[in-house]
Amino acid sequence: MNAVFPGSFDPITSGHMDVLTRAAKMFEQVTVTVMHNARKQGRHLFTLDERLDILREATAHLPNVSVDTFGGLLVDYMAQQQQGIIIRGLRAVSDYEYELQIAHLNRQIGDTETVFIMAATRWSFVSSSMVREIASYGGDISEMVPRASAAALRRKHDDVYAEREAALAAARRPS
Ligand code: PNS
């Protein structure tokens, strides 16, 4: 059976990788699909193309994993692709309520099945948004994301660091 692992992946984290790697052992083929989350409208750090590039690099070692994108409803994608199962990762109980609602709604409007995979506890506090915030201040996120995400975050924030450093240096200079 095949599965789809949908998400925003802005960028993919070690928690996502953990869920994906375990899904890839359970299903013949897993498609990681970058989709649009209306709640995160206009709040993305990476463009769609950047997120797809990061995902391709981060999943290159998984032979039965492919990367895709879709701009509509997840249930329409599942029907169009004739895919089997939706995979979602759970980090903590706090994720469950939201995920349960979406899984029920997707089942109601698209007759889809969702399988939850619990991310390892060491990733339970890791989210793309926290990783983005830590990285934006130059913090070490190398454990929390695959190398492709870390490199992309570094590139994205190089300019930000340079600007901050220049501003600090200017402020420190005696007038
Ligand atoms: O990584 P995320 O942001 O938690 O992923 C959420 C995502 C993108 C899977 C969800 O928002 C989604 O399925 N978007 C596609 C549009 C859709 O089907 N919406 C109805 C269910 S919320």
Side-chain angles (χ1 to χ4, degrees):
M1 184 167 280
N2 294 344
V4 170
F5 183 31
S8 305
F9 303 111
D10 186 35
I12 187 165
T13 66
S14 299
H16 291 130
M17 286 303 293
D18 180 38
V19 169
L20 177 61
T21 307
R22 283 155 57 191
K25 288 183 189 149
M26 287 186 250
F27 295 93
E28 282 160 42
Q29 194 69 39
V30 181
T31 309
V32 188
T33 306
V34 180
M35 307 215 48
H36 182 245
N37 183 341
R39 295 169 174 227
K40 297 178 180 170
Q41 177 88 32
R43 293 198 283 127
H44 290 123
L45 176 64
F46 292 103
T47 65
L48 177 62
D49 282 341
E50 286 170 334
R51 282 179 275 157
L52 289 168
D53 283 345
I54 297 167
L55 276 171
R56 285 191 198 103
E57 196 179 327
T59 60
H61 64 292
L62 297 168
N64 62 335
V65 170
S66 56
V67 173
D68 196 9
T69 182
F70 188 73
L73 281 176
L74 179 54
V75 291
D76 289 340
Y77 179 74
M78 299 302 287
Q80 191 190 92
Q81 301 287 308
Q82 296 185 316
Q83 297 287 3
I85 301 284
I86 297 168
I87 302 287
R88 291 288 287 171
L90 289 178
R91 287 167 300 189
V93 178
S94 49
D95 284 339
Y96 184 68
E97 211 172 323
Y98 170 68
E99 293 297 339
L100 185 72
Q101 181 186 15
I102 306 247
H104 278 310
L105 285 172
N106 281 336
R107 187 139 183 257
Q108 192 164 323
I109 62 174
D111 198 25
T112 51
E113 289 294 346
T114 301
V115 167
F116 295 118
I117 296 181
M118 272 80 74
T121 49
R122 64 184 298 217
W123 310 124
S124 57
F125 298 101
V126 174
S127 65
S128 297
S129 59
M130 285 301 168
V131 162
R132 290 197 303 270
E133 180 165 342
I134 295 166
S136 79
Y137 292 103
D140 180 10
I141 41 79
S142 52
E143 279 280 291
M144 300 173 209
V145 291
R147 273 210 291 271
S149 297
L153 282 162
R154 247 188 325 269
R155 282 196 299 274
K156 188 67 90 179
H157 289 300
D158 266 357
D159 294 346
V160 179
Y161 301 150
E163 271 170 34
R164 269 195 211 136
E165 284 304 314
L168 283 173
R172 274 191 228 109
R173 226 171 279 133
S175 49

